[in-house]
Amino acid sequence: MAPPTLRARHRLSLHVVLTACIGLALAAGASSCGHNIQVQTVTAPNAQFAGRRTFRILEPRYRGNVALASNDPMLVNSITAQALRDEIRRAFESRGYVYAPDRADLDVAYYALAQPVTDIRTFDYGYTWRGFPRQYVDVVQYEQGTVIIDVIDPATHELLWRGQGKAPVDQDPNKYVSVLRQAVDKIVAKFPQAS
């Protein structure tokens, strides 16, 4: 077997470097949970926030139209639920709103869940080596956490605004709480400032 030419060695070296860089980028993305939070928000077409300055936080009893089960993480892990409530309160107060649990201009509901995700990525470098295509498939499995914050008109019970954040979460409870807090901050940062 003839030794590889300089050009073939260069291609192989480039391939090894690219594969290593892609692997490091994927690993960094999965482990730096807080830096990878994707946030989406939507405002109801008729929503008016002017003059609304107070809010209260509702207890999580339902997710959509389904009652939370007794084994739901939001109810079972009161430490996580309390950390989430505290962060929501702090985040809305930082936007100029005043917490008023007895009588408020806005109701805030929240939901959090974690579920497994499988991400399949295919890389094709567009050439062959010894007759084999240079295509790689990378499968990454992780837990994805979702935080949803709804802002509701307490008089009409209509949804005025929804913010949703998604991010990979760690199995370590302290890191999970940290990601939840970061998600809340990024979501509420998109809510209108109190006027």
Side-chain angles (χ1 to χ4, degrees):
M1 173 155 115
T5 65
L6 181 58
R7 187 173 183 178
R9 280 186 292 183
H10 176 69
R11 267 195 235 148
L12 186 56
S13 296
L14 179 62
H15 170 70
V16 169
V17 169
L18 284 173
T19 302
C21 289
I22 290 167
L24 287 172
L26 291 173
S31 65
S32 64
C33 303
H35 302 294
N36 202 14
I37 298 170
Q38 302 167 359
V39 173
Q40 296 176 326
T41 63
V42 63
T43 303
N46 59 346
Q48 296 292 323
F49 298 106
R52 297 181 191 246
R53 298 200 36 82
T54 59
F55 73 100
R56 67 181 172 184
I57 302 172
L58 303 177
E59 290 295 324
R61 293 191 184 100
Y62 292 90
R63 179 172 295 122
N65 292 328
V66 179
L68 294 176
S70 61
N71 63 349
D72 190 286
M74 286 295 291
L75 298 177
V76 173
N77 189 344
S78 62
I79 295 171
T80 302
Q82 187 60 48
L84 193 56
R85 283 181 65 85
D86 292 346
E87 194 63 26
I88 289 169
R89 179 177 174 172
R90 192 204 60 70
F92 273 93
E93 288 175 340
S94 74
R95 304 290 294 158
Y97 293 90
V98 177
Y99 182 67
D102 296 328
R103 191 164 194 198
D105 301 321
L106 299 169
D107 283 343
V108 177
Y110 65 97
Y111 315 94
L113 59 102
Q115 57 192 18
V117 173
T118 301
D119 189 2
I120 301 173
R121 301 171 187 172
T122 303
F123 305 96
D124 186 350
Y125 301 110
Y127 64 89
T128 60
W129 183 68
R130 294 187 184 190
F132 296 102
R134 295 313 256 160
Q135 184 178 49
Y136 293 92
V137 176
D138 190 21
V139 178
V140 178
Q141 293 181 320
Y142 60 94
E143 286 283 314
Q144 178 173 277
T146 302
V147 176
I148 298 172
I149 298 176
D150 288 342
V151 177
I152 303 154
D153 185 324
T156 65
H157 304 290
E158 290 184 13
L159 181 63
L160 301 174
W161 184 89
R162 171 170 280 179
Q164 178 176 310
K166 292 184 179 184
V169 294
D170 200 291
Q171 295 300 316
D172 179 333
N174 293 323
K175 289 181 182 177
Y176 179 63
V177 169
S178 175
V179 171
L180 287 176
R181 286 184 169 141
Q182 291 176 43
V184 166
D185 291 343
K186 288 190 172 195
I187 293 166
V188 177
K190 294 184 177 283
F191 190 73
Q193 189 82 25
S195 56

